[in-house]
Structures are given as C-alpha cells and as structure tokens.
Amino acid sequence: MSVIANQVKELASQLGHFVTLLEREHAALSAKALDNLSEVIAEKNRLAGLLSGQWEALRQNLDLKQASPADLTSALSARGEHAALKDGQAIRQLSERARELNQRNGALIREQLRQTSKAIDILQAISRQNATYGPDGLSHGGLSYSRTIDKA
C-alpha cells in the first residue's frame, strides 16, 4: 500500500471517530445531558486538530489546490491510487455527515444559549425587585403583594 493510500485510510478512520463524537455530542445536547459534554467536546477538539493536520499533509502530497474532500477521489484517480478510492469516497461521505451534525449541534447550542439567557434575564429582573418585608409585616420593594408575612 502506498504512502498516500495509508494517509487516506488513516484519515477515513479518524474522520469516522470524529463523526461518532459529533453523534455523541448531538445525543447529549438533544437529551440536555450536559454533564459529560465537556469530555466529548475536548476529545472532539483534539481530534479536529489531528484531522486538520492529516488533511493538510494529504492535500500537499496530492498537490490539491482546493481543500475539498469532493476533489479527493479525482486526485486519487489521476495519481493511479485506485486502492485508496474506497476510503476517499468514505472521507467524502463522512465529511458531509460531519457537516450536517455540526450544523444541527450548533442549532441546539444556540437554542440552549437562548433559553439560558432568557432564564438569566428573568432571574435578574426578579432580583432587582428586591422584595423584603417591613416592620409592619407587609412586603415592600416593587412586588404588588399586600399580604402580611404571617400569611405569605
């Protein structure tokens, strides 16, 4: 197996792991199970850096001017790297799947941030009202309650 075929095979393998991490991230975000999300994100970021380096090395070895997985199979065919074509097609499919998952995850994160921001706004508005009870037992400070503390 040639150096390029090995690079393509390794890139396809790592990209498969990356897609699996994106799927785990999506499941956690969908279920709002955010406890283990930081571990998934850390691994995803580490793997993204590795993939970037692998892709750049492969791109240089193939003299690809464009950094698109869609151009990979054409470049492999042109260089006679037929043994790597299957993995090249897998890279294209996995890249598309990663793009889709990344967009979905981004939308889930944006919605979670919107909900969190709304909750913070509500809590800040309530805290500014600074409701307290006066010596007469009535609440004071912006809330329109007229009950005494013993009936609250």
Side-chain angles (χ1 to χ4, degrees), residues 25-137:
E25 179 184 47
H26 183 77
L29 289 167
S30 295
K32 298 189 180 186
L34 307 177
D35 294 338
N36 298 328
L37 195 57
S38 63
E39 295 168 13
V40 172
I41 291 171
E43 179 62 15
K44 183 184 77 166
N45 289 339
R46 184 198 67 76
L47 196 51
L50 178 70
L51 285 167
S52 177
Q54 287 178 328
W55 175 250
E56 185 58 29
L58 179 60
R59 194 178 69 76
Q60 287 177 358
N61 282 345
L62 289 171
D63 293 324
L64 282 175
K65 304 296 182 228
Q66 300 292 324
S68 167
D71 300 324
L72 180 59
T73 51
S74 299
L76 290 170
S77 291
R79 299 235 354 194
E81 294 285 348
H82 302 291
L85 284 175
K86 185 176 178 182
D87 288 324
Q89 290 169 345
I91 288 171
R92 184 176 182 174
Q93 292 168 344
L94 289 166
S95 296
E96 180 61 27
R97 177 75 177 137
R99 185 189 66 75
E100 291 169 6
L101 284 166
N102 214 24
Q103 287 178 342
R104 285 186 196 170
N105 292 352
L108 289 171
I109 290 169
R110 281 188 298 279
E111 177 59 22
Q112 186 67 37
L113 285 172
R114 186 192 67 74
Q115 290 175 2
T116 300
S117 177
K118 191 174 181 179
I120 289 171
D121 290 345
I122 290 169
L123 292 171
Q124 285 177 335
I126 290 171
S127 72
R128 281 192 292 271
Q129 291 175 351
N130 196 19
T132 59
Y133 291 98
D136 58 358

